[in-house]
């Protein structure tokens, strides 16, 4: 878990499920003031037998392919780095320069160019299936094709190229492994389901699917899906491929127009700014409700589930009185109205301005808002 500095996302809690490039996301959200829960649902595991990768690289150099499909930036970079460590980088790059290089999307394209190469074509959808369709449309009979595999490659796509007459070799650089800390993933899913997280951010389809699978295995599936459907938790994906596991469940994740981390960071920030958060103008400044906190006049106030639930109900009432039974209904695990009184006292202490939550005798509680004409 990371702490935050003041910024446009002050008071927000954001869960990041990514393993690779997570540091970039975390740093960007923290700079904007968010608290980040880093709970990678999968991890990248390098190929255990590096000797096998080097032998495959030597075969590529000795028998140059006509086409090379680059599916991931991290995989392509790992391939070049492995070759470099064995003194084969120059030969490999020279071989690839003579091949027709196809990129699965912009990130793969960026890695190709960073290596000093130029792609022949890049898929708009960021799917290997689109690359395969393009190759088949061009005609692959008798062509030698190398496919840099990613963690969850689909063998059927390679088989379709073989069926069209191509000779296909798969090159595995890494694979997906289980979550580094399954208990952390379970706790984070619980917080998402409880609405204590403002947004959850995904950068890969396997990682998104792993979160769904983990929720099912730990008995939290219904709560997770309900939270994501309700809109209480912003569910953001770097691109439509990453969003696929959620779309298959009838959900509509937030996806930026450009499928890059920078665009993802911007759209999440825009959606979580005060203008889009639950807020109200009070006699003590603007009050904004976040997943695990409130922000009063720019000051972040960490709140437990009970005080936050009560405060959210009072904000939703817009300054009107909320009865004790109504507040009891939103308190998790509470059994009588005495729990409401205890929670209101805790809320007043946490806010530091007890007069913000006013008692209305024999009726309940209300917020001290700026709107005129509300009886005290």
């Amino acid at each position: 878990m990371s702490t935050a500095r003041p910024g446009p996302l002050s008071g927000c809690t954001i869960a990041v499920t990514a393993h690779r490039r997570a540091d970039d996301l975390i740093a960007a959200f923290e700079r904007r003031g968010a608290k980040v829960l880093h709970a990678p649902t999968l991890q990248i595991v390098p190929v255990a037998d590096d000797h096998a990768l080097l032998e495959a690289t030597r075969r590529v150099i000795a028998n140059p392919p006509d086409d090379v499909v680059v599916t991931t930036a991290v995989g392509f970079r790992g391939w070049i780095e492995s070759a470099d460590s064995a003194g084969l980088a120059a030969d490999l790059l020279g071989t690839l320069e003579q091949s027709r290089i196809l990129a699965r999307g912009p990130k793969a394209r960026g890695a190709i160019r960073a290596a000093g190469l130029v792609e022949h074509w890049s898929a708009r959808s960021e799917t290997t299936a689109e690359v395969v369709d393009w190759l088949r449309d061009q005609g692959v009979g008798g062509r030698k094709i190398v496919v840099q595999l990613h963690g969850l490659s689909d063998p059927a796509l390679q088989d379709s190229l073989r069926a069209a007459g191509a000779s296909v070799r798969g090159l595995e650089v890494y694979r997906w492994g289980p979550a580094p800390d399954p208990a952390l993933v379970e706790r984070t899913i619980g917080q998402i389901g409880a609405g204590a997280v403002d947004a959850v951010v995904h950068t890969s389809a396997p990682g998104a699917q792993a979160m769904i699978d983990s929720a099912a295995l730990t008995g939290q599936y219904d709560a997770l899906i309900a939270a994501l459907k309700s809109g209480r938790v912003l569910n953001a994906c770097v691109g439509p491929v990453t969003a696929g596991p959620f779309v298959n469940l009838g959900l509509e994740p937030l996806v930026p127009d450009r499928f890059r981390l920078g665009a993802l960071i911007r759209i999440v920030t825009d959606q979580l700014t005060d203008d889009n958060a639950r807020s109200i103008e009070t006699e003590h400044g603007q009050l904004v409700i976040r997943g695990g906190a409130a922000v009063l006049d720019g000051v972040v106030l960490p709140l437990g589930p009970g005080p936050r639930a009560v405060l959210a109900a009072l904000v939703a009432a817009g300054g009107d009185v909320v009865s004790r039974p109504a507040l009891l209904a939103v308190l998790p695990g509470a059994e009588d109205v005495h729990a409401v009184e205890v929670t209101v006292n805790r809320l007043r202490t946490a806010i530091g301005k007890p007069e913000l939550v006013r008692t209305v005798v024999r009726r309940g509680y209300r917020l001290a808002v700026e709107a005129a004409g509300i009886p005290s």
Side-chain angles (χ1 to χ4, degrees), residues 295-319:
V295 182
L296 179 61
D297 198 24
V299 178
V300 178
L301 309 170
L303 298 175
R308 185 197 169 282
V310 167
L311 186 60
L314 294 173
V315 169

Side-chain angles (χ1 to χ4, degrees), residues 35-340:
K35 180 174 72 174
V36 179
L37 305 177
H38 185 208
T41 53
L42 292 174
Q43 62 181 317
I44 289 178
V45 181
V47 174
D49 188 355
D50 192 58
H51 176 73
L53 176 59
L54 292 176
E55 283 302 310
T57 301
R58 291 188 178 97
R59 287 195 294 272
V60 168
I61 295 169
N63 186 14
D66 299 300
D67 301 299
V68 176
V69 178
V70 179
T71 59
T72 64
V74 66
F76 188 72
R77 287 194 300 266
W79 187 19
I80 302 301
E81 290 167 3
S82 173
D84 187 49
S85 68
L88 298 173
D91 290 338
L92 176 59
L93 291 172
T95 299
L96 297 178
E97 194 171 16
Q98 302 304 314
S99 302
R100 189 170 62 176
I101 304 177
L102 311 172
R104 191 175 66 129
K107 288 182 283 188
R109 184 175 66 235
I112 292 165
R113 294 182 181 181
L117 301 168
V118 179
E119 78 286 352
H120 180 82
W121 179 84
S122 179
R124 290 182 175 272
S125 66
E126 295 193 66
T127 64
T128 309
E130 185 182 353
V131 180
V132 170
D133 289 343
W134 186 90
L135 281 166
R136 288 174 60 92
D137 289 343
Q138 298 296 309
V140 295
R143 294 185 71 84
K144 295 177 290 186
I145 302 174
V146 168
V147 180
Q148 174 255 310
L149 304 175
H150 58 93
L152 294 177
S153 299
D154 185 353
L157 296 177
Q158 296 179 57
D159 291 342
S160 71
L161 291 174
R162 294 187 180 99
S167 172
V168 183
R169 289 175 283 171
L171 189 95
E172 186 179 41
V173 182
Y174 72 90
R175 61 181 180 276
W176 290 109
D181 187 344
L184 174 60
V185 174
E186 181 179 352
R187 290 196 301 273
T188 301
I189 292 172
Q191 290 175 281
I192 295 169
V197 170
D198 295 281
V200 55
V201 177
H202 314 273
T203 62
S204 75
Q209 185 62 56
M211 188 184 78
I212 295 169
D213 293 342
S214 178
L217 288 171
T218 57
Q220 302 183 97
Y221 178 86
D222 290 343
L224 172 67
I225 300 304
L228 299 181
K229 278 187 175 179
S230 71
R232 296 196 312 271
V233 180
L234 183 67
N235 189 31
C237 299
V238 72
V241 175
T242 299
F246 298 110
V247 173
N248 292 340
L249 296 175
L251 301 174
E252 298 181 3
L254 180 70
V255 178
D257 292 333
R258 295 181 65 248
F259 312 144
R260 306 300 291 269
L261 285 187
L264 177 64
I265 292 163
R266 284 192 295 275
I267 196 170
V268 169
T269 301
D270 289 345
Q271 289 293 314
L272 292 181
T273 55
D274 288 354
D275 291 341
N276 292 303
R278 285 177 291 175
S279 65
I280 192 170
E281 291 295 333
T282 76
E283 294 176 359
H284 300 279
Q286 185 186 45
L287 175 65
V288 183
I289 300 296
R290 298 297 192 186
V295 182
L296 179 61
D297 198 24
V299 178
V300 178
L301 309 170
L303 298 175
R308 185 197 169 282
V310 167
L311 186 60
L314 294 173
V315 169
D320 291 339
V321 177
V322 182
S323 69
R324 288 174 176 82
L327 292 176
L328 178 63
V330 303
L331 271 180
E335 296 181 355
D336 56 53
V337 293
H338 177 66
V340 173

